Amino acid sequence: MATFLYKLGRLAFRRRHFVALIWVALLTLAGVGAASAPPAGNSSFSIPGTEAQKAFDLLEQRFPGASADGATARVVFKAPSGEKMTDAENKATVQKTVDELADGSEVASVADPYTGNAVSKDGTIAYASVKYDVSGMELEESTKDALEDAAQQARDAGLTVEVGGDALQAVPETGATEVIGIAVAAVVLVITFGSLVAAGLPLLTALIGVGIGVSSITALASALELGSTTSILAMMIGLAVGIDYALFIVSRYRAELAEGREREEAAGRAVGTAGSAVVFAGLTVVIALVGLAVVNIPMLTKMGVAAAGTVAIAVLIALTMIPALLGYAGRRVKPAGAKGRLLGRSRKGEPKPDRPAGPPKANLGTRWASFVVRRPLAVLLLGVIGLGAAAVPAASLELGLPDDGSQPTSTTQRRAYDLLSEGFGPGFNGPLMVVVDAKGSDAPKDAFTDVEKQIKGLDGVVAVTPPAPNKGGDTATITVIPDSKPSSVQTEDLVHAIRDAGGDVEAKTGAETLVTGSTAMNIDVSEKLNDALVPYLVLVVGLAFLLLIVVFRSILVPLKAALGFLLSVMAALGAVVAVFQWGWLSGLMGVEETGPVMSMMPIFMVGVVFGLAMDYEVFLVTRMREAFVHGEKPHQAVVTGFKHGARVVTAAAVIMMAVFAGFIGSSESMVKMIGFGLAIAVFFDAFVVRMAIVPAVLALLGKRAWWLPKWLDRALPNVDVEGEGLRTAGERGSDPDEDRELVRA
């Protein structure tokens, strides 16, 4: 592989005009496609194989024209102090609002509070339910404006009016902190390279890659039903890995220049060595993201595949456009150690003449690695205990999906949620819809009645509506109001109790009872994700383990990498629980409302963090293996790996943390949580696991770290990530192709 990438790097350097033209053309094509594509339609959220989804599909089949997936809105009214909603003047205001709402072209129905028993017992709060023909993301802006105008007119009449539901659903915004994250990345690159030109290359290529990836997602959003969150997550991951991959290749290029090689040769060797690590690091990320398909939740699968595509683009750009841009930059990208005037060096990159000459001072990475190999056990114990302490909150992890109750208190959706809880009880915001399929029953009406009686006898039920059969009389819906809020354990227990009771009715009457609704769907999603976590871990970690065996030609190094990942991801989950569930530092993170952690968070974090963790493992440990293969002793190889790789890996980790942290300012709670979780996970993995635990373990293992059974060594392909074939060719002055067999031998 190193030989192929070496040739690719030299070709891109020589044919830089052609390479640049190709990528600019692809960016333009993707941009035109995004601009001309129809707006994204409904991003359907389905969970195949769950009872809630089965019931939802049954409703669409048995109740045609009911717009089961249409947007809904609850316009909640509260009377002024000392008044009631049943007062004549307030009643007239509500009636006028209902009439105005019913005139909308996309409105399917509006329920009058006074005829639909939608006034609280104390008479102070009432609500009108609005049903639309299309989903919240498909609603015309004029329809949303009409909803807000009707609410404002009722406010002007003296009532407190708030609007809940998904009719006012908006596209999430990332906020200014995303730009701050990119700015921090730019500063780190300048400090690392000491050159604006060298620092600009990774940023430029990362932005081009993200531009192509996100524009392609936008262009395909309508056809593939991709949600707005998909492009944000692809941007988040694409920016982070795009900058990092380019950073590693540019750093290796400068190191090759420092050894006296010509620029084209240095570009080829940089792509052949660091580029090989980029390919395998990218593969681990892609495997982790595409592996999300095993959960069998289409939305999560689409998010993973879209993000994986952006990562693949980042890898291709790093391998081709970086050497092309290095060709354009010429002498403006200086050898390692020659940082130019920006950081206080002379014009030619030499030390200032008044500085006394002497032996070069060991860099921080060398000094740190030397310390670790002298005290490996102490460093290992300290790192493991520290991560273990950070992971403690993860034992209290509660999962759920966001509803209006998790919105900031400044939003009308949240205020409507609170008013409904105040007037009708906490369970009113999470009603359960029970669907009774009596098509196989001899007495459908009796089956409906039996289900209603069974539910009324359960604990935790506030109200049960009479069965509402369809036109065919073979299916009925029953609405159940719990006495607990939607995200509570009590509501989850009630859902399971209803399903158990439905089993008894089915045995007696032959009618099947299903529970659906947003609350039941959230519960089913959480359970499905929990059940899929172990198979997902086995698949992703197993495939990556095999890949790393090929890369490192070792059994213990990949095993150590996987165990270190588990430590970092558990510590990161603990931090997420502490902030978003317990409320620690919630004000600093802009978390206005604590609650259950997003159901998708653990499995999504496992996938992304695993891929990123393997990035640092590959980049750092390949340098160690390269030194070991070239004859250094195990302890010295660890120090050498840190000498060449620690500074760059540190810069890469800081950049990735900055990019992820930039998304904490998003208005979308899922994006905010993932941004924080990934940023803290990178911190734990890069600075605790890879920088401390990894060298400590390698120092303790010594030569045993690189042990591989001879039969397996013969069976594995020689991918030559360390570029040994390039070194051999350089020493003999021959073409790398001629030395392949020699290197394999």
Side-chain angles (χ1 to χ4, degrees):
M1 173 177 287
T3 302
F4 170 76
L5 293 179
Y6 165 81
K7 288 184 173 182
L8 179 63
R10 294 192 63 172
L11 178 65
F13 188 95
R14 290 196 306 271
R15 301 288 185 264
R16 46 188 172 273
H17 303 307
F18 182 68
V19 172
L21 182 62
I22 289 178
W23 284 113
V24 171
L26 288 175
L27 179 61
T28 304
L29 184 63
V32 170
S36 59
N42 179 28
S43 178
S44 58
F45 183 80
S46 61
I47 39 175
T50 62
E51 181 173 311
Q53 185 64 45
K54 182 180 178 181
F56 186 83
D57 295 340
L58 185 65
L59 283 174
E60 289 190 327
Q61 178 186 346
R62 303 286 175 84
F63 291 82
S67 300
D69 59 346
T72 59
R74 276 179 172 174
V75 184
V76 188
F77 308 90
K78 184 176 182 180
S81 179
E83 299 181 19
K84 293 184 180 296
M85 290 304 304
T86 51
D87 294 345
E89 185 177 352
N90 294 334
K91 194 172 182 178
T93 300
V94 172
Q95 189 61 56
K96 181 181 178 181
T97 303
V98 169
D99 292 341
E100 290 179 356
L101 290 171
D103 289 339
S105 60
E106 294 180 309
V107 176
S109 63
V110 181
D112 190 317
Y114 302 102
T115 59
N117 193 27
V119 181
S120 63
K121 290 182 180 179
D122 61 5
T124 60
I125 298 175
Y127 69 91
S129 295
V130 187
K131 182 72 175 177
Y132 294 91
D133 293 322
V134 296
S135 69
M137 296 301 291
E138 295 174 312
L139 281 178
E140 298 284 346
E141 286 301 321
S142 58
T143 300
K144 296 181 180 181
D145 292 341
L147 175 60
E148 293 176 333
D149 291 344
Q152 187 57 49
Q153 290 180 18
R155 292 189 191 104
D156 295 340
L159 298 177
T160 298
V161 186
E162 305 296 346
V163 182
D166 60 354
L168 295 181
Q169 182 178 358
V171 175
E173 300 176 354
T174 54
T177 51
E178 175 191 346
V179 179
I180 296 174
I182 296 176
V184 171
V187 171
V188 174
L189 287 169
V190 171
I191 294 174
T192 302
F193 292 135
S195 163
L196 291 175
V197 174
L201 297 183
L203 279 177
L204 177 61
T205 54
L207 290 173
I208 291 174
V210 167
I212 294 173
V214 173
S215 296
S216 301
I217 291 171
T218 304
L220 298 172
S222 178
L224 301 181
E225 296 185 349
L226 302 177
S228 56
T229 305
T230 303
S231 60
I232 293 177
L233 294 176
M235 181 190 301
M236 180 192 304
I237 297 170
L239 268 177
V241 300
I243 294 174
D244 277 10
Y245 294 164
L247 167 65
F248 285 111
I249 292 179
V250 173
S251 297
R252 188 59 183 254
Y253 171 76
R254 296 177 71 237
E256 295 292 338
L257 288 180
E259 293 183 9
R261 292 190 172 88
E262 293 296 326
R263 295 187 177 274
E264 182 179 328
E265 177 69 12
R269 287 178 176 269
V271 175
T273 52
S276 297
V278 165
V279 169
F280 281 98
L283 273 176
T284 59
V285 180
V286 169
I287 288 172
L289 290 170
V290 174
L292 290 169
V294 302
V295 183
N296 195 26
I297 295 180
M299 186 184 81
L300 192 60
T301 300
K302 292 173 184 178
M303 287 167 55
V305 172
T310 308
V311 171
I313 292 172
V315 171
L316 292 175
I317 282 187
L319 297 178
T320 56
M321 195 165 186
I322 281 293
L325 292 179
L326 289 172
Y328 283 119
R331 297 186 179 277
R332 283 169 289 187
V333 176
K334 299 182 180 300
K339 298 185 178 180
R341 291 178 294 176
L342 186 61
L343 294 183
R345 299 296 180 107
S346 68
R347 184 176 185 84
K348 293 182 180 180
E350 297 297 330
K352 291 184 177 180
D354 58 346
R355 181 171 296 176
K361 183 180 178 181
N363 62 22
L364 182 60
T366 301
R367 297 196 300 272
W368 169 251
S370 299
F371 169 78
V372 173
V373 296
R374 288 197 305 268
R375 301 284 188 274
L377 188 58
V379 172
L380 176 61
L381 291 176
L382 186 61
V384 172
I385 292 172
L387 291 179
V392 168
S396 303
L397 177 67
E398 295 178 8
L399 298 177
L401 287 177
D403 55 19
D404 285 347
S406 62
Q407 296 271 6
T409 53
S410 58
T411 62
T412 186
Q413 292 95 328
R414 172 58 189 275
R415 292 195 292 264
Y417 181 97
D418 292 340
L419 284 176
L420 289 172
S421 296
E422 177 188 339
F424 301 93
F428 193 79
N429 283 295
L432 306 174
M433 179 174 287
V434 179
V435 182
V436 185
D437 179 9
K439 195 168 187 178
S441 175
D442 296 332
K445 291 184 178 180
D446 293 340
F448 301 155
T449 303
D450 285 348
V451 172
E452 180 187 5
K453 289 179 180 178
Q454 289 275 6
I455 295 174
K456 285 182 177 179
L458 298 175
D459 294 333
V461 175
V462 172
V464 180
T465 63
N470 63 346
K471 291 183 179 180
D474 58 0
T475 308
T477 59
I478 300 172
T479 301
V480 181
I481 306 298
D483 66 359
S484 52
K485 64 180 182 179
S487 59
S488 67
V489 177
Q490 292 84 352
T491 301
E492 182 177 349
D493 293 340
L494 177 60
V495 169
H496 291 302
I498 294 174
R499 288 171 173 170
D500 292 340
D504 297 335
V505 174
E506 183 175 10
K508 177 181 176 183
T509 65
E512 185 179 11
T513 302
L514 306 170
V515 184
T516 190
S518 60
T519 301
M521 271 208 174
N522 290 351
I523 292 170
D524 286 352
V525 167
S526 298
E527 292 179 351
K528 189 177 182 69
L529 288 166
N530 282 338
D531 293 342
L533 185 57
V534 173
Y536 175 70
L537 270 173
V538 171
L539 173 68
V540 172
V541 177
L543 288 175
F545 180 78
L546 296 176
L547 187 65
L548 292 179
I549 290 178
V550 175
V551 173
F552 295 127
R553 308 195 76 80
S554 164
I555 298 293
L556 296 180
V557 171
L559 179 61
K560 171 261 313 165
L563 294 177
F565 150 74
L566 292 176
L567 275 175
S568 58
V569 79
M570 289 304 298
L573 277 176
V576 169
V577 170
V579 173
F580 290 89
Q581 189 174 309
W582 292 0
W584 294 4
L585 302 177
S586 57
L588 181 64
M589 298 296 166
V591 181
E592 296 188 32
E593 186 67 25
T594 59
V597 172
M598 189 89 52
S599 296
M600 295 183 184
M601 186 66 189
I603 199 163
F604 191 83
M605 182 187 276
V606 163
V608 177
V609 173
F610 182 78
L612 300 180
M614 295 306 104
D615 277 4
Y616 299 120
E617 181 76 14
V618 170
F619 289 127
L620 193 59
V621 180
T622 48
R623 273 291 197 170
M624 298 178 190
R625 174 166 173 76
E626 184 176 343
F628 178 76
V629 167
H630 295 154
E632 292 188 8
K633 294 182 179 180
H635 283 201
Q636 184 58 40
V638 171
V639 175
T640 300
F642 267 77
K643 175 184 177 182
H644 295 292
R647 178 184 176 88
V648 180
V649 169
T650 299
V654 172
I655 289 169
M656 197 169 281
M657 288 167 58
V659 172
F660 287 147
F663 288 83
I664 295 176
S666 173
S667 61
E668 176 69 31
S669 58
M670 180 176 179
V671 175
K672 180 190 291 288
M673 190 178 294
I674 289 178
F676 170 80
L678 294 182
I680 197 69
V682 168
F683 172 78
F684 287 143
D685 195 84
F687 293 106
V688 181
V689 175
R690 309 303 154 189
M691 292 290 187
I693 293 178
V694 165
V697 171
L698 291 178
L700 289 171
L701 290 175
K703 288 186 178 180
R704 290 168 294 182
W706 308 109
W707 172 79
L708 186 70
K710 291 184 179 180
W711 64 268
L712 185 57
D713 185 41
R714 290 191 297 268
L716 291 177
N718 186 2
V719 296
D720 190 22
V721 176
E722 301 84 15
E724 181 65 16
L726 302 181
R727 176 179 291 264
T728 303
E731 291 172 350
R732 299 176 60 238
S734 59
D735 189 285
D737 279 341
E738 299 174 1
D739 295 283
R740 281 182 180 173
E741 295 303 321
L742 178 62
V743 171
R744 290 184 61 88

